[in-house]
mmCIF file with all atom_site columns, all heavy atoms in Angstrom:
data_model
loop_
_atom_site.group_PDB
_atom_site.id
_atom_site.type_symbol
_atom_site.label_atom_id
_atom_site.label_alt_id
_atom_site.label_comp_id
_atom_site.label_asym_id
_atom_site.label_entity_id
_atom_site.label_seq_id
_atom_site.pdbx_PDB_ins_code
_atom_site.Cartn_x
_atom_site.Cartn_y
_atom_site.Cartn_z
_atom_site.occupancy
_atom_site.B_iso_or_equiv
_atom_site.pdbx_formal_charge
_atom_site.auth_seq_id
_atom_site.auth_comp_id
_atom_site.auth_asym_id
_atom_site.auth_atom_id
_atom_site.pdbx_PDB_model_num
ATOM 1  N N   . PRO A 1 137 ? 73.510 5.402  55.532 1.00 0.00 ? 137 PRO A N   1
ATOM 2  C CA  . PRO A 1 137 ? 73.445 5.423  54.065 1.00 0.00 ? 137 PRO A CA  1
ATOM 3  C C   . PRO A 1 137 ? 74.466 4.463  53.463 1.00 0.00 ? 137 PRO A C   1
ATOM 4  O O   . PRO A 1 137 ? 75.563 4.297  53.992 1.00 0.00 ? 137 PRO A O   1
ATOM 5  C CB  . PRO A 1 137 ? 73.775 6.877  53.714 1.00 0.00 ? 137 PRO A CB  1
ATOM 6  C CG  . PRO A 1 137 ? 73.417 7.650  54.938 1.00 0.00 ? 137 PRO A CG  1
ATOM 7  C CD  . PRO A 1 137 ? 73.728 6.745  56.095 1.00 0.00 ? 137 PRO A CD  1
ATOM 8  N N   . HIS A 1 138 ? 74.099 3.824  52.351 1.00 0.00 ? 138 HIS A N   1
ATOM 9  C CA  . HIS A 1 138 ? 74.953 2.839  51.678 1.00 0.00 ? 138 HIS A CA  1
ATOM 10 C C   . HIS A 1 138 ? 75.584 3.496  50.448 1.00 0.00 ? 138 HIS A C   1
ATOM 11 O O   . HIS A 1 138 ? 74.893 4.110  49.647 1.00 0.00 ? 138 HIS A O   1
ATOM 12 C CB  . HIS A 1 138 ? 74.110 1.632  51.261 1.00 0.00 ? 138 HIS A CB  1
ATOM 13 C CG  . HIS A 1 138 ? 74.889 0.551  50.602 1.00 0.00 ? 138 HIS A CG  1
ATOM 14 N ND1 . HIS A 1 138 ? 75.700 -0.319 51.300 1.00 0.00 ? 138 HIS A ND1 1
ATOM 15 C CD2 . HIS A 1 138 ? 74.994 0.191  49.295 1.00 0.00 ? 138 HIS A CD2 1
ATOM 16 C CE1 . HIS A 1 138 ? 76.258 -1.169 50.453 1.00 0.00 ? 138 HIS A CE1 1
ATOM 17 N NE2 . HIS A 1 138 ? 75.850 -0.872 49.238 1.00 0.00 ? 138 HIS A NE2 1
ATOM 18 N N   . GLN A 1 139 ? 76.911 3.353  50.303 1.00 0.00 ? 139 GLN A N   1
ATOM 19 C CA  . GLN A 1 139 ? 77.599 3.929  49.152 1.00 0.00 ? 139 GLN A CA  1
ATOM 20 C C   . GLN A 1 139 ? 77.958 2.862  48.132 1.00 0.00 ? 139 GLN A C   1
ATOM 21 O O   . GLN A 1 139 ? 78.428 1.785  48.488 1.00 0.00 ? 139 GLN A O   1
ATOM 22 C CB  . GLN A 1 139 ? 78.878 4.648  49.584 1.00 0.00 ? 139 GLN A CB  1
ATOM 23 C CG  . GLN A 1 139 ? 78.647 6.068  49.988 1.00 0.00 ? 139 GLN A CG  1
ATOM 24 C CD  . GLN A 1 139 ? 79.929 6.880  50.010 1.00 0.00 ? 139 GLN A CD  1
ATOM 25 O OE1 . GLN A 1 139 ? 81.017 6.368  49.770 1.00 0.00 ? 139 GLN A OE1 1
ATOM 26 N NE2 . GLN A 1 139 ? 79.800 8.156  50.296 1.00 0.00 ? 139 GLN A NE2 1
ATOM 27 N N   . LEU A 1 140 ? 77.740 3.207  46.871 1.00 0.00 ? 140 LEU A N   1
ATOM 28 C CA  . LEU A 1 140 ? 78.152 2.360  45.749 1.00 0.00 ? 140 LEU A CA  1
ATOM 29 C C   . LEU A 1 140 ? 79.235 3.117  44.996 1.00 0.00 ? 140 LEU A C   1
ATOM 30 O O   . LEU A 1 140 ? 79.006 4.230  44.511 1.00 0.00 ? 140 LEU A O   1
ATOM 31 C CB  . LEU A 1 140 ? 76.959 2.088  44.823 1.00 0.00 ? 140 LEU A CB  1
ATOM 32 C CG  . LEU A 1 140 ? 75.824 1.309  45.473 1.00 0.00 ? 140 LEU A CG  1
ATOM 33 C CD1 . LEU A 1 140 ? 74.497 1.694  44.872 1.00 0.00 ? 140 LEU A CD1 1
ATOM 34 C CD2 . LEU A 1 140 ? 76.066 -0.160 45.314 1.00 0.00 ? 140 LEU A CD2 1
ATOM 35 N N   . ASN A 1 141 ? 80.420 2.522  44.908 1.00 0.00 ? 141 ASN A N   1
ATOM 36 C CA  . ASN A 1 141 ? 81.544 3.143  44.210 1.00 0.00 ? 141 ASN A CA  1
ATOM 37 C C   . ASN A 1 141 ? 81.676 2.570  42.812 1.00 0.00 ? 141 ASN A C   1
ATOM 38 O O   . ASN A 1 141 ? 81.465 1.389  42.597 1.00 0.00 ? 141 ASN A O   1
ATOM 39 C CB  . ASN A 1 141 ? 82.848 2.902  44.971 1.00 0.00 ? 141 ASN A CB  1
ATOM 40 C CG  . ASN A 1 141 ? 82.906 3.692  46.252 1.00 0.00 ? 141 ASN A CG  1
ATOM 41 O OD1 . ASN A 1 141 ? 82.465 4.829  46.311 1.00 0.00 ? 141 ASN A OD1 1
ATOM 42 N ND2 . ASN A 1 141 ? 83.427 3.080  47.287 1.00 0.00 ? 141 ASN A ND2 1
ATOM 43 N N   . ALA A 1 142 ? 82.061 3.430  41.884 1.00 0.00 ? 142 ALA A N   1
ATOM 44 C CA  . ALA A 1 142 ? 82.331 3.037  40.495 1.00 0.00 ? 142 ALA A CA  1
ATOM 45 C C   . ALA A 1 142 ? 81.110 2.435  39.824 1.00 0.00 ? 142 ALA A C   1
ATOM 46 O O   . ALA A 1 142 ? 81.200 1.425  39.142 1.00 0.00 ? 142 ALA A O   1
ATOM 47 C CB  . ALA A 1 142 ? 83.523 2.077  40.427 1.00 0.00 ? 142 ALA A CB  1
ATOM 48 N N   . ILE A 1 143 ? 79.958 3.068  40.005 1.00 0.00 ? 143 ILE A N   1
ATOM 49 C CA  . ILE A 1 143 ? 78.738 2.627  39.330 1.00 0.00 ? 143 ILE A CA  1
ATOM 50 C C   . ILE A 1 143 ? 78.686 3.327  37.969 1.00 0.00 ? 143 ILE A C   1
ATOM 51 O O   . ILE A 1 143 ? 78.818 4.546  37.890 1.00 0.00 ? 143 ILE A O   1
ATOM 52 C CB  . ILE A 1 143 ? 77.482 2.901  40.195 1.00 0.00 ? 143 ILE A CB  1
ATOM 53 C CG1 . ILE A 1 143 ? 76.219 2.411  39.488 1.00 0.00 ? 143 ILE A CG1 1
ATOM 54 C CG2 . ILE A 1 143 ? 77.352 4.351  40.592 1.00 0.00 ? 143 ILE A CG2 1
ATOM 55 C CD1 . ILE A 1 143 ? 74.975 2.416  40.383 1.00 0.00 ? 143 ILE A CD1 1
ATOM 56 N N   . PRO A 1 144 ? 78.539 2.583  36.874 1.00 0.00 ? 144 PRO A N   1
ATOM 57 C CA  . PRO A 1 144 ? 78.510 3.208  35.554 1.00 0.00 ? 144 PRO A CA  1
ATOM 58 C C   . PRO A 1 144 ? 77.312 4.145  35.391 1.00 0.00 ? 144 PRO A C   1
ATOM 59 O O   . PRO A 1 144 ? 76.257 3.925  35.981 1.00 0.00 ? 144 PRO A O   1
ATOM 60 C CB  . PRO A 1 144 ? 78.402 2.016  34.595 1.00 0.00 ? 144 PRO A CB  1
ATOM 61 C CG  . PRO A 1 144 ? 78.909 0.850  35.368 1.00 0.00 ? 144 PRO A CG  1
ATOM 62 C CD  . PRO A 1 144 ? 78.522 1.113  36.797 1.00 0.00 ? 144 PRO A CD  1
ATOM 63 N N   . GLU A 1 145 ? 77.510 5.186  34.592 1.00 0.00 ? 145 GLU A N   1
ATOM 64 C CA  . GLU A 1 145 ? 76.406 6.111  34.348 1.00 0.00 ? 145 GLU A CA  1
ATOM 65 C C   . GLU A 1 145 ? 75.279 5.384  33.622 1.00 0.00 ? 145 GLU A C   1
ATOM 66 O O   . GLU A 1 145 ? 75.511 4.392  32.932 1.00 0.00 ? 145 GLU A O   1
ATOM 67 C CB  . GLU A 1 145 ? 76.883 7.322  33.555 1.00 0.00 ? 145 GLU A CB  1
ATOM 68 C CG  . GLU A 1 145 ? 77.375 7.009  32.160 1.00 0.00 ? 145 GLU A CG  1
ATOM 69 C CD  . GLU A 1 145 ? 77.831 8.248  31.421 1.00 0.00 ? 145 GLU A CD  1
ATOM 70 O OE1 . GLU A 1 145 ? 77.172 9.299  31.522 1.00 0.00 ? 145 GLU A OE1 1
ATOM 71 O OE2 . GLU A 1 145 ? 78.843 8.146  30.714 1.00 0.00 ? 145 GLU A OE2 1
ATOM 72 N N   . GLY A 1 146 ? 74.044 5.865  33.823 1.00 0.00 ? 146 GLY A N   1
ATOM 73 C CA  . GLY A 1 146 ? 72.893 5.251  33.182 1.00 0.00 ? 146 GLY A CA  1
ATOM 74 C C   . GLY A 1 146 ? 71.668 5.310  34.071 1.00 0.00 ? 146 GLY A C   1
ATOM 75 O O   . GLY A 1 146 ? 71.667 5.939  35.129 1.00 0.00 ? 146 GLY A O   1
ATOM 76 N N   . ASP A 1 147 ? 70.613 4.647  33.627 1.00 0.00 ? 147 ASP A N   1
ATOM 77 C CA  . ASP A 1 147 ? 69.341 4.633  34.338 1.00 0.00 ? 147 ASP A CA  1
ATOM 78 C C   . ASP A 1 147 ? 69.220 3.365  35.181 1.00 0.00 ? 147 ASP A C   1
ATOM 79 O O   . ASP A 1 147 ? 69.547 2.269  34.718 1.00 0.00 ? 147 ASP A O   1
ATOM 80 C CB  . ASP A 1 147 ? 68.175 4.697  33.344 1.00 0.00 ? 147 ASP A CB  1
ATOM 81 C CG  . ASP A 1 147 ? 68.156 6.010  32.572 1.00 0.00 ? 147 ASP A CG  1
ATOM 82 O OD1 . ASP A 1 147 ? 68.514 7.046  33.171 1.00 0.00 ? 147 ASP A OD1 1
ATOM 83 O OD2 . ASP A 1 147 ? 67.799 6.002  31.385 1.00 0.00 ? 147 ASP A OD2 1
ATOM 84 N N   . TYR A 1 148 ? 68.711 3.536  36.409 1.00 0.00 ? 148 TYR A N   1
ATOM 85 C CA  . TYR A 1 148 ? 68.570 2.437  37.354 1.00 0.00 ? 148 TYR A CA  1
ATOM 86 C C   . TYR A 1 148 ? 67.249 2.552  38.105 1.00 0.00 ? 148 TYR A C   1
ATOM 87 O O   . TYR A 1 148 ? 66.589 3.588  38.073 1.00 0.00 ? 148 TYR A O   1
ATOM 88 C CB  . TYR A 1 148 ? 69.718 2.466  38.389 1.00 0.00 ? 148 TYR A CB  1
ATOM 89 C CG  . TYR A 1 148 ? 71.080 2.236  37.797 1.00 0.00 ? 148 TYR A CG  1
ATOM 90 C CD1 . TYR A 1 148 ? 71.846 3.295  37.313 1.00 0.00 ? 148 TYR A CD1 1
ATOM 91 C CD2 . TYR A 1 148 ? 71.616 0.964  37.719 1.00 0.00 ? 148 TYR A CD2 1
ATOM 92 C CE1 . TYR A 1 148 ? 73.096 3.086  36.766 1.00 0.00 ? 148 TYR A CE1 1
ATOM 93 C CE2 . TYR A 1 148 ? 72.873 0.743  37.184 1.00 0.00 ? 148 TYR A CE2 1
ATOM 94 C CZ  . TYR A 1 148 ? 73.608 1.813  36.708 1.00 0.00 ? 148 TYR A CZ  1
ATOM 95 O OH  . TYR A 1 148 ? 74.849 1.602  36.173 1.00 0.00 ? 148 TYR A OH  1
#
Side-chain angles (χ1 to χ4, degrees):
H138 182 76
Q139 274 197 357
L140 297 149
N141 289 322
I143 181 170
E145 64 180 319
D147 296 325
Y148 296 88

